[in-house]
Amino acid sequence: MKQLKIKCWIEEDGEKFYGPGPHILLKEIQKEGSLSKAAEKMQLSYKKAWEMVQRLNLGSNHNLVNLKKGGQHGGGAEITPHAFQIMSAYELLQDKIKELIKAEDELMKVLKKD
């Protein structure tokens, strides 16, 4: 069955800044309270996840993730209120895209085999 798919992300100077991957990483950090656990759940290396967080923090007006260094009680990570705003807006955009796909069924009718 043919399906219309739309992928959406935000770029800055031609480089991906925010999209499905960073969005999922933020959600996992929110759930786990840990960058390493979030990376593990996403099957990412810690280094790759850390680089994503650094890119998000440096590319935004405010940090999206606060990392706490390990110590006697271990480290941790938490998303900031600014991250919550971005995540909510991105999820609303994704909902709008889903509605657009539902509404744009004319192309699928043309492509449909008789």
Side-chain angles (χ1 to χ4, degrees):
M1 181 170 96
K2 291 180 179 71
Q3 290 181 307
L4 177 60
K5 297 283 185 173
I6 298 173
K7 289 188 178 185
C8 180
W9 61 88
I10 298 162
E11 289 187 359
E12 182 175 27
D13 298 327
E15 296 286 323
K16 287 185 182 177
F17 171 70
Y18 194 87
H23 184 72
I24 293 168
L25 180 61
L26 290 180
K27 289 180 81 156
E28 290 300 331
I29 291 170
Q30 179 185 4
K31 282 185 214 168
E32 299 296 329
S34 161
L35 181 59
S36 60
K37 288 179 184 175
E40 185 179 321
K41 285 189 93 173
M42 291 180 66
Q43 299 180 329
L44 291 175
S45 69
Y46 178 83
K47 182 179 187 279
K48 175 77 173 170
W50 186 85
E51 288 171 349
M52 287 172 71
V53 166
Q54 293 307 307
R55 189 171 55 249
L56 289 169
N57 282 345
L58 292 173
S60 182
N61 295 340
H62 306 282
N63 279 357
L64 303 187
V65 178
N66 289 326
L67 299 172
K68 300 173 196 160
K69 288 188 177 186
Q72 185 176 6
H73 301 290
E78 64 183 12
I79 63 169
T80 66
H82 189 63
F84 278 111
Q85 288 180 308
I86 291 172
M87 292 166 64
S88 287
Y90 186 77
E91 288 172 4
L92 284 172
L93 176 61
Q94 292 301 313
D95 290 343
K96 289 177 184 178
I97 289 170
K98 286 176 190 170
E99 291 302 315
L100 175 66
I101 289 171
K102 283 182 195 175
E104 293 296 323
D105 63 349
E106 190 60 35
L107 175 61
M108 300 315 297
K109 287 178 186 174
V110 172
L111 291 173
K112 186 177 177 184
K113 291 180 182 179
D114 293 323

